[in-house]
């Protein structure tokens, strides 16, 4: 009953936003969509990105992503070769391949957005130099992204500050904590 109510509501929507895995929910079964926008597609495993494509039976796919950013995050156990043993069964993480990278490699047309509007120019300069060969342009000025943390000596922290906490990680159960680092971050937050 609830599924039918949601299905009726979804049929009235012009835009439906779901995750890859929720695209296979009962409410969406047998619904088709003309356009599928697969956001962050350079971080989605190829197998996961196929779920909304097949489910939606879309006519047009728009894959949005940045292959120079994060690859898919996979939880894995240590392989024999990482443990210092040679193994014939070791693979090179075939699931890290994304549909986005496969489509680019096959020659599908792509558009690179060159103007960034998020970062302070001092921050965007780092990835621009090391990952984007200097082609990015800033759509904001330093004044648009002025610092928000006021320091006790007057003024504000610059947009990027490197601060050596000289602390060390302590193992607590399955987690790690760094007390010195936490104290320094707490001071900045205060």
């Amino acid at each position: 009953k609830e599924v039918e109510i949601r299905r009726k509501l979804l049929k009235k929507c012009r835009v439906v936003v779901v995750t890859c895995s929720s695209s296979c929910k009962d409410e969406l079964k047998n619904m088709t969509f003309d356009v599928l926008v697969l956001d962050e597609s350079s971080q989605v495993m190829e197998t996961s990105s196929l779920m909304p494509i097949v489910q939606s039976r879309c006519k047009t796919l728009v894959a949005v992503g940045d292959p120079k950013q994060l690859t898919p995050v996979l939880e894995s156990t240590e392989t024999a070769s990482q443990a210092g043993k040679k193994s014939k069964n070791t693979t090179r993480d075939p699931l890290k391949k994304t549909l986005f990278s496969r489509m680019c490699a096959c020659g599908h047309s792509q558009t690179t957005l060159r103007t960034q509007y998020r970062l302070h120019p001092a921050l965007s300069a780092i990835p621009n130099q090391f990952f984007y060969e200097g082609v990015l342009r800033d759509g904001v000025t330093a004044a648009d992204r002025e610092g928000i943390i006021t320091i006790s000596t007057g003024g504000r922290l610059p947009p990027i500050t490197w601060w050596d906490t000289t602390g060390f990680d302590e193992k607590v159960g399955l987690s790690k904590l760094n007390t010195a680092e936490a104290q320094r971050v707490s001071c900045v937050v205060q």
Side-chain angles (χ1 to χ4, degrees):
K1 181 84 177 162
E2 273 186 49
V3 170
E4 283 304 316
I5 293 170
R6 278 185 277 203
R7 188 186 310 245
K8 285 179 184 177
L9 290 172
L10 284 168
K11 285 183 179 181
K12 294 178 184 178
C13 296
R14 293 186 63 200
V15 176
V16 177
V17 179
V18 295
T19 62
C20 289
S21 58
S22 65
S23 68
C24 295
K25 288 196 169 252
D26 288 340
E27 296 91 302
L28 296 168
K29 287 231 177 2
N30 299 320
M31 288 184 71
T32 60
F33 296 90
D34 291 335
V35 179
L36 171 66
V37 178
L38 193 58
D39 194 20
E40 298 296 354
S41 62
S42 60
Q43 294 178 27
V44 179
M45 291 184 303
E46 189 170 26
T47 51
S48 296
S49 64
L50 290 174
M51 292 187 313
I53 294 169
V54 170
Q55 179 65 28
S56 70
R57 295 180 294 227
C58 62
K59 295 175 184 169
T60 302
L61 169 65
V62 179
V64 180
D66 186 345
K68 297 189 183 209
Q69 291 185 11
L70 296 173
T71 58
V73 177
L74 301 173
E75 186 176 323
S76 62
T77 57
E78 186 176 62
T79 63
S81 64
Q82 290 170 324
K85 300 174 188 171
K86 291 194 175 188
S87 170
K88 293 179 183 174
N89 298 327
T90 303
T91 64
R92 286 195 213 138
D93 284 332
L95 290 177
K96 282 199 173 192
K97 183 87 169 179
T98 64
L99 180 66
F100 186 90
S101 61
R102 183 179 301 278
M103 289 169 51
C104 290
C106 291
H108 285 274
S109 63
Q110 56 185 345
T111 301
T112 301
L113 302 179
R114 294 199 186 327
T115 306
Q116 72 83 24
Y117 296 93
R118 293 181 181 176
L119 300 175
H120 185 288
L123 293 173
S124 69
I126 297 166
N128 193 18
Q129 177 184 348
F130 291 103
F131 301 106
Y132 297 98
E133 294 84 38
V135 299
L136 287 183
R137 290 184 215 114
D138 292 311
V140 293
T141 64
D144 294 329
R145 295 290 180 264
E146 84 180 37
I148 59 171
I149 300 175
T150 304
I151 53 178
S152 60
T153 57
R156 296 176 187 256
L157 276 179
I160 187 167
T161 303
W162 301 104
W163 189 3
D164 184 1
T165 62
T166 62
F168 58 91
D169 288 344
E170 303 170 49
K171 191 162 172 104
V172 179
L174 297 174
S175 299
K176 292 181 182 179
L177 77 103
N178 185 323
T179 306
E181 186 175 284
Q183 288 170 342
R184 284 169 180 81
V185 168
S186 177
C187 288
V188 170
V189 170
Q190 289 174 0

